[in-house]
mmCIF file of all heavy atoms in Angstrom:
data_model
loop_
_atom_site.group_PDB
_atom_site.id
_atom_site.type_symbol
_atom_site.label_atom_id
_atom_site.label_comp_id
_atom_site.label_asym_id
_atom_site.label_seq_id
_atom_site.Cartn_x
_atom_site.Cartn_y
_atom_site.Cartn_z
ATOM 1 N N GLY A 69 -1.897 1.151 -0.377
ATOM 2 C CA GLY A 69 -2.642 0.873 0.843
ATOM 3 C C GLY A 69 -4.038 0.364 0.559
ATOM 4 O O GLY A 69 -4.454 0.239 -0.592
ATOM 5 N N CYS A 70 -4.757 0.077 1.637
ATOM 6 C CA CYS A 70 -6.132 -0.403 1.523
ATOM 7 C C CYS A 70 -7.077 0.785 1.304
ATOM 8 O O CYS A 70 -6.806 1.895 1.765
ATOM 9 C CB CYS A 70 -6.516 -1.158 2.793
ATOM 10 S SG CYS A 70 -8.186 -1.866 2.722
ATOM 11 N N SER A 71 -8.187 0.532 0.634
ATOM 12 C CA SER A 71 -9.186 1.588 0.398
ATOM 13 C C SER A 71 -9.925 1.994 1.667
ATOM 14 O O SER A 71 -10.676 2.980 1.652
ATOM 15 C CB SER A 71 -10.234 1.111 -0.612
ATOM 16 O OG SER A 71 -9.629 0.823 -1.829
ATOM 17 N N ASP A 72 -9.740 1.255 2.741
ATOM 18 C CA ASP A 72 -10.424 1.509 4.020
ATOM 19 C C ASP A 72 -10.495 3.020 4.323
ATOM 20 O O ASP A 72 -9.495 3.733 4.202
ATOM 21 C CB ASP A 72 -9.654 0.790 5.132
ATOM 22 C CG ASP A 72 -10.422 0.786 6.440
ATOM 23 O OD1 ASP A 72 -10.423 1.836 7.121
ATOM 24 O OD2 ASP A 72 -11.009 -0.244 6.771
ATOM 25 N N SER A 73 -11.680 3.455 4.742
ATOM 26 C CA SER A 73 -11.902 4.900 4.889
ATOM 27 C C SER A 73 -11.394 5.483 6.209
ATOM 28 O O SER A 73 -11.329 6.694 6.371
ATOM 29 C CB SER A 73 -13.405 5.186 4.796
ATOM 30 O OG SER A 73 -14.074 4.550 5.883
ATOM 31 N N ARG A 74 -11.032 4.593 7.166
ATOM 32 C CA ARG A 74 -10.804 5.122 8.518
ATOM 33 C C ARG A 74 -9.576 6.016 8.658
ATOM 34 O O ARG A 74 -9.628 7.019 9.359
ATOM 35 C CB ARG A 74 -10.771 3.972 9.531
ATOM 36 C CG ARG A 74 -12.166 3.443 9.804
ATOM 37 C CD ARG A 74 -12.163 2.152 10.539
ATOM 38 N NE ARG A 74 -11.827 1.024 9.660
ATOM 39 C CZ ARG A 74 -11.931 -0.249 10.022
ATOM 40 N NH1 ARG A 74 -12.321 -0.570 11.227
ATOM 41 N NH2 ARG A 74 -11.628 -1.207 9.171
ATOM 42 N N ASN A 93 -6.476 0.018 -2.917
ATOM 43 C CA ASN A 93 -7.527 -0.911 -3.342
ATOM 44 C C ASN A 93 -7.915 -1.766 -2.138
ATOM 45 O O ASN A 93 -7.258 -1.699 -1.093
ATOM 46 C CB ASN A 93 -7.052 -1.762 -4.528
ATOM 47 C CG ASN A 93 -5.808 -2.583 -4.213
ATOM 48 O OD1 ASN A 93 -5.757 -3.297 -3.206
ATOM 49 N ND2 ASN A 93 -4.791 -2.476 -5.052
ATOM 50 N N ILE A 94 -8.939 -2.568 -2.285
ATOM 51 C CA ILE A 94 -9.375 -3.391 -1.156
ATOM 52 C C ILE A 94 -8.304 -4.443 -0.860
ATOM 53 O O ILE A 94 -7.948 -5.250 -1.731
ATOM 54 C CB ILE A 94 -10.723 -4.076 -1.459
ATOM 55 C CG1 ILE A 94 -11.797 -3.013 -1.704
ATOM 56 C CG2 ILE A 94 -11.132 -5.008 -0.310
ATOM 57 C CD1 ILE A 94 -13.138 -3.577 -2.126
ATOM 58 N N GLY A 95 -7.769 -4.396 0.339
ATOM 59 C CA GLY A 95 -6.781 -5.387 0.762
ATOM 60 C C GLY A 95 -5.343 -5.041 0.423
ATOM 61 O O GLY A 95 -4.467 -5.900 0.509
ATOM 62 N N ASN A 96 -5.091 -3.788 0.010
ATOM 63 C CA ASN A 96 -3.715 -3.341 -0.329
ATOM 64 C C ASN A 96 -2.925 -4.399 -1.098
ATOM 65 O O ASN A 96 -1.842 -4.819 -0.707
ATOM 66 C CB ASN A 96 -2.935 -2.873 0.918
ATOM 67 C CG ASN A 96 -3.088 -3.745 2.134
ATOM 68 O OD1 ASN A 96 -4.011 -3.564 2.930
ATOM 69 N ND2 ASN A 96 -2.214 -4.736 2.274
ATOM 70 N N CYS A 124 1.211 -0.773 2.748
ATOM 71 C CA CYS A 124 0.675 -0.605 4.098
ATOM 72 C C CYS A 124 -0.673 -1.313 4.247
ATOM 73 O O CYS A 124 -1.620 -1.005 3.533
ATOM 74 C CB CYS A 124 0.519 0.879 4.415
ATOM 75 S SG CYS A 124 -0.071 1.147 6.089
ATOM 76 N N GLY A 125 -0.714 -2.247 5.171
ATOM 77 C CA GLY A 125 -1.967 -2.918 5.499
ATOM 78 C C GLY A 125 -2.471 -2.435 6.845
ATOM 79 O O GLY A 125 -1.891 -1.539 7.462
ATOM 80 N N HIS A 126 -3.564 -3.014 7.287
ATOM 81 C CA HIS A 126 -4.060 -2.645 8.618
ATOM 82 C C HIS A 126 -4.766 -3.840 9.247
ATOM 83 O O HIS A 126 -5.302 -4.703 8.543
ATOM 84 C CB HIS A 126 -5.002 -1.440 8.536
ATOM 85 C CG HIS A 126 -6.254 -1.685 7.764
ATOM 86 N ND1 HIS A 126 -7.464 -1.942 8.359
ATOM 87 C CD2 HIS A 126 -6.495 -1.742 6.427
ATOM 88 C CE1 HIS A 126 -8.387 -2.131 7.435
ATOM 89 N NE2 HIS A 126 -7.824 -2.012 6.254
ATOM 90 N N TYR A 127 -4.729 -3.859 10.576
ATOM 91 C CA TYR A 127 -5.449 -4.905 11.292
ATOM 92 C C TYR A 127 -6.951 -4.652 11.161
ATOM 93 O O TYR A 127 -7.384 -3.541 10.935
ATOM 94 C CB TYR A 127 -5.023 -4.918 12.766
ATOM 95 C CG TYR A 127 -3.559 -5.281 12.939
ATOM 96 C CD1 TYR A 127 -2.679 -4.431 13.608
ATOM 97 C CD2 TYR A 127 -3.052 -6.466 12.413
ATOM 98 C CE1 TYR A 127 -1.345 -4.756 13.761
ATOM 99 C CE2 TYR A 127 -1.707 -6.806 12.558
ATOM 100 C CZ TYR A 127 -0.860 -5.939 13.230
ATOM 101 O OH TYR A 127 0.470 -6.272 13.362
ATOM 102 N N ARG A 128 -7.741 -5.716 11.328
ATOM 103 C CA ARG A 128 -9.200 -5.656 11.189
ATOM 104 C C ARG A 128 -9.608 -5.187 9.791
ATOM 105 O O ARG A 128 -10.553 -4.413 9.631
ATOM 106 C CB ARG A 128 -9.835 -4.771 12.279
ATOM 107 C CG ARG A 128 -9.447 -5.159 13.687
ATOM 108 C CD ARG A 128 -10.292 -4.516 14.746
ATOM 109 N NE ARG A 128 -11.660 -5.020 14.744
ATOM 110 C CZ ARG A 128 -12.034 -6.226 15.208
ATOM 111 N NH1 ARG A 128 -11.134 -7.048 15.721
ATOM 112 N NH2 ARG A 128 -13.291 -6.611 15.168
ATOM 113 N N CYS A 129 -8.862 -5.677 8.780
ATOM 114 C CA CYS A 129 -9.164 -5.320 7.390
ATOM 115 C C CYS A 129 -10.344 -6.171 6.894
ATOM 116 O O CYS A 129 -10.283 -7.403 6.927
ATOM 117 C CB CYS A 129 -7.930 -5.556 6.521
ATOM 118 S SG CYS A 129 -8.229 -5.237 4.766
ATOM 119 N N GLY A 130 -11.394 -5.513 6.424
ATOM 120 C CA GLY A 130 -12.577 -6.223 5.943
ATOM 121 C C GLY A 130 -12.261 -7.128 4.752
ATOM 122 O O GLY A 130 -12.842 -8.200 4.606
ATOM 123 N N GLY A 131 -11.339 -6.682 3.896
ATOM 124 C CA GLY A 131 -10.963 -7.475 2.728
ATOM 125 C C GLY A 131 -10.289 -8.769 3.145
ATOM 126 O O GLY A 131 -10.572 -9.853 2.613
ATOM 127 N N VAL A 132 -9.397 -8.662 4.126
ATOM 128 C CA VAL A 132 -8.696 -9.855 4.623
ATOM 129 C C VAL A 132 -9.700 -10.796 5.283
ATOM 130 O O VAL A 132 -9.658 -12.018 5.094
ATOM 131 C CB VAL A 132 -7.582 -9.449 5.619
ATOM 132 C CG1 VAL A 132 -6.999 -10.667 6.308
ATOM 133 C CG2 VAL A 132 -6.491 -8.661 4.895
ATOM 134 N N HIS A 133 -10.639 -10.223 6.031
ATOM 135 C CA HIS A 133 -11.652 -11.040 6.714
ATOM 136 C C HIS A 133 -12.498 -11.800 5.695
ATOM 137 O O HIS A 133 -12.721 -13.012 5.837
ATOM 138 C CB HIS A 133 -12.546 -10.136 7.576
ATOM 139 C CG HIS A 133 -13.366 -10.895 8.561
ATOM 140 N ND1 HIS A 133 -14.684 -11.202 8.346
ATOM 141 C CD2 HIS A 133 -13.036 -11.428 9.759
ATOM 142 C CE1 HIS A 133 -15.152 -11.892 9.380
ATOM 143 N NE2 HIS A 133 -14.173 -12.042 10.255
ATOM 144 N N ILE A 151 -5.827 -12.794 -1.889
ATOM 145 C CA ILE A 151 -5.514 -12.976 -0.457
ATOM 146 C C ILE A 151 -5.898 -14.389 -0.024
ATOM 147 O O ILE A 151 -5.220 -14.994 0.805
ATOM 148 C CB ILE A 151 -6.238 -11.927 0.413
ATOM 149 C CG1 ILE A 151 -5.839 -10.513 -0.024
ATOM 150 C CG2 ILE A 151 -5.914 -12.131 1.889
ATOM 151 C CD1 ILE A 151 -6.494 -9.396 0.777
ATOM 152 N N TRP A 171 -6.936 -13.457 11.811
ATOM 153 C CA TRP A 171 -7.301 -12.345 10.917
ATOM 154 C C TRP A 171 -6.136 -11.354 10.808
ATOM 155 O O TRP A 171 -5.723 -10.957 9.709
ATOM 156 C CB TRP A 171 -8.551 -11.693 11.512
ATOM 157 C CG TRP A 171 -9.153 -10.569 10.754
ATOM 158 C CD1 TRP A 171 -8.842 -10.139 9.500
ATOM 159 C CD2 TRP A 171 -10.220 -9.721 11.227
ATOM 160 N NE1 TRP A 171 -9.639 -9.068 9.162
ATOM 161 C CE2 TRP A 171 -10.490 -8.803 10.196
ATOM 162 C CE3 TRP A 171 -10.955 -9.656 12.401
ATOM 163 C CZ2 TRP A 171 -11.469 -7.811 10.336
ATOM 164 C CZ3 TRP A 171 -11.936 -8.680 12.526
ATOM 165 C CH2 TRP A 171 -12.186 -7.776 11.500
ATOM 166 N N TYR A 209 -0.846 -0.941 10.301
ATOM 167 C CA TYR A 209 -1.286 -0.132 11.435
ATOM 168 C C TYR A 209 -2.536 -0.735 12.055
ATOM 169 O O TYR A 209 -3.262 -1.511 11.427
ATOM 170 C CB TYR A 209 -1.506 1.329 11.048
ATOM 171 C CG TYR A 209 -2.695 1.600 10.176
ATOM 172 C CD1 TYR A 209 -3.933 1.913 10.727
ATOM 173 C CD2 TYR A 209 -2.584 1.559 8.791
ATOM 174 C CE1 TYR A 209 -5.038 2.168 9.919
ATOM 175 C CE2 TYR A 209 -3.677 1.808 7.986
ATOM 176 C CZ TYR A 209 -4.899 2.103 8.551
ATOM 177 O OH TYR A 209 -5.986 2.340 7.746
ATOM 178 N N VAL A 211 -6.171 -0.156 13.584
ATOM 179 C CA VAL A 211 -7.251 0.838 13.503
ATOM 180 C C VAL A 211 -7.673 1.337 14.892
ATOM 181 O O VAL A 211 -8.360 2.338 15.022
ATOM 182 C CB VAL A 211 -8.492 0.297 12.745
ATOM 183 C CG1 VAL A 211 -8.221 0.194 11.258
ATOM 184 C CG2 VAL A 211 -8.964 -1.027 13.313
HETATM 185 ZN ZN1 LIG B 20 -8.586 -2.983 4.590
#
Side-chain angles (χ1 to χ4, degrees):
C70 183
S71 299
D72 190 282
S73 63
R74 285 167 283 189
N93 59 51
I94 299 175
N96 43 272
C124 182
H126 64 101
Y127 296 123
R128 306 193 69 75
C129 177
V132 171
H133 195 261
I151 302 180
W171 182 9
Y209 71 91
V211 288

